[in-house]
Amino acid sequence: MNVPAFLRRRRWLALSSLLLLAPVLVASSRVPDAPMAVVERHAGYDVRDLDWQDGARGRAVPVKLFMPTGAHRGKVPLVVFSHGIGSARDGYTYLGHYWARHGVASLHVQHVGSDRALWRGNPLQLVSRFQRAAGEAEAIARVGDQRFALDQVLQGEWGAHIDRARIVAAGHSYGANTTLMSAGARVVRHGRPIWLRDPRISAAIVISAPPFYGDEDFRPILRGITIPTLHVTTADDIIRIPGFGSGVDDRLKVFDAVGGARKVLAVYKHGTHNVFTDHRYFDSRAVSEQVKQATEELSLAFIDTAYGANPQEMRDWSTRHHDLVARYVAP
């Protein structure tokens, strides 16, 4: 199951250690594209698994790219998606397929330090593996993965077909924290800021965001995020693991703390923390399908509205899904 970023509510490592890690975000060098492997062809779009290597960091960056085949006739928006801890690039494919069918490209990044490989190995060491994966070094490396993958797409053969004015960061659980960091979350440690914003990101979709850095007050961290943001959670979005608990109130605190007026919140009446993944663990089939369908539609309406479409699309969504939604806030 996906568990939240930063399992332990403790402060970051000494700032000197962080500053040694932070430069990797801007030091990534261009490497040749890996051979294209078209794993799926669909009416109107292709899906490719690409295995890239960031030579500057010595870190693999596997991705799954959903690309509308009609993109050569014009430029399309791009979503850069980060998975939750213990998942992978194929953990949220329902969103990639939906967006691609509707003319939106998406790049699903696999974070090798916090991906599905955590489940392998000695079961007695599982907790320690997850704690390491949720630590500060991996949190920073994830932002580097997202940045590097975006570099590769924009510099490669697909770059000419991507609208650089419509690039969205998105993520679930730990991936939501990664998204917030790329969107402009700002942490101050020992009087100095840690700020990893990617200026190419102009909107963000935040699904089930855990507490941020273990701090009690999220406002100083998140108030500098002023791009349009969509926040999605459920009334049953509860994380319970030894030594850590996080409920929907934390998701609401994140929403409240994000700055700017262009932010949207949707809270579904039902669905667990993992209802947003491809797999169905603890939810009924009906709940799983309803939440996923509503999230697909809402995310697309948000992307359209964030870049100038009629806001009526968002209002229509709330009307259609009134019975499913416990709370809805929109500008």
Side-chain angles (χ1 to χ4, degrees):
M1 62 180 292
N2 292 318
V3 293
F6 313 125
L7 298 172
R8 292 164 290 178
R9 289 181 177 270
R10 60 184 174 84
R11 297 183 68 83
W12 274 34
L13 297 173
L15 182 62
S16 58
S17 298
L18 288 175
L19 294 179
L20 288 174
L21 291 167
V24 303
L25 299 178
V26 295
S28 297
S29 61
R30 180 79 169 95
V31 300
D33 290 341
M36 291 187 300
V38 178
V39 297
E40 298 175 16
R41 287 193 181 276
H42 299 266
Y45 66 98
D46 291 339
V47 183
R48 295 177 174 88
D49 281 351
L50 299 164
D51 296 301
W52 289 328
Q53 182 76 23
D54 184 346
R57 297 184 298 156
R59 182 172 166 109
V61 185
V63 302
K64 185 179 287 289
L65 177 64
F66 296 78
M67 194 72 186
T69 52
H72 64 277
R73 294 191 294 270
K75 295 188 177 183
V76 299
L78 174 69
V79 178
V80 184
F81 192 93
S82 289
H83 61 75
I85 196 168
S87 188
R89 60 185 170 185
D90 59 354
Y92 305 81
T93 59
Y94 73 99
L95 288 169
H97 287 292
Y98 183 84
W99 290 331
R101 288 197 303 269
H102 291 83
V104 176
S106 64
L107 180 68
H108 296 233
V109 182
Q110 183 163 331
H111 304 286
V112 297
S114 51
D115 63 3
R116 197 167 288 153
L118 294 176
W119 297 105
R120 306 182 193 126
N122 188 339
L124 298 178
Q125 297 174 351
L126 180 64
V127 173
S128 62
R129 289 199 296 272
F130 270 77
Q131 287 177 338
R132 286 194 300 272
E136 291 83 359
E138 175 62 15
I140 292 175
R142 276 174 152 255
V143 182
D145 295 341
Q146 198 178 65
R147 185 183 296 260
F148 174 80
L150 181 54
D151 287 344
Q152 293 297 98
V153 167
L154 295 181
Q155 295 171 15
E157 64 179 279
W158 302 284
H161 309 304
I162 300 298
D163 185 346
R164 299 187 183 214
R166 293 186 291 167
I167 297 177
V168 182
H172 172 244
S173 196
Y174 199 174
N177 285 153
T178 305
T179 295
L180 289 166
M181 292 172 73
S182 291
R186 183 176 183 270
V187 181
V188 176
R189 290 292 180 261
H190 305 288
R192 298 181 63 182
I194 301 167
W195 194 60
L196 306 176
R197 168 158 165 67
D198 188 332
R200 297 170 295 185
I201 303 299
S202 53
I205 299 172
V206 180
I207 305 173
S208 299
F212 214 82
Y213 298 127
D215 287 7
E216 294 298 324
D217 187 359
F218 302 162
R219 290 171 296 180
I221 298 171
L222 301 176
R223 65 189 174 197
I225 299 176
T226 57
I227 61 176
T229 56
L230 169 63
H231 304 251
V232 185
T233 184
T234 81
D236 297 325
D237 192 348
I238 301 171
I239 305 166
R240 295 187 183 96
I241 60 174
F244 184 90
S246 175
V248 66
D249 286 349
D250 289 323
R251 327 288 179 252
L252 303 181
K253 288 178 183 178
V254 168
F255 171 75
D256 290 337
V258 166
R262 298 177 298 166
K263 56 184 182 179
V264 178
L265 170 68
V267 182
Y268 299 118
K269 293 178 181 178
H270 306 291
T272 65
H273 183 68
N274 287 286
V275 73
F276 298 103
T277 70
D278 268 6
H279 301 288
R280 183 169 59 87
Y281 295 98
F282 309 110
D283 301 285
S284 69
R285 184 177 300 277
V287 166
S288 178
E289 291 177 353
Q290 289 169 2
V291 169
K292 286 181 173 63
Q293 179 183 347
T295 303
E296 290 169 347
E297 295 176 10
L298 177 59
S299 62
L300 185 64
F302 168 76
I303 293 169
D304 289 343
T305 303
Y307 298 113
N310 190 340
Q312 183 64 39
E313 191 173 354
M314 299 290 288
R315 291 190 287 270
D316 290 344
W317 178 90
S318 65
T319 300
R320 284 196 309 276
H321 297 284
H322 178 267
D323 292 340
L324 183 64
V325 176
R327 183 181 176 192
Y328 181 70
V329 179

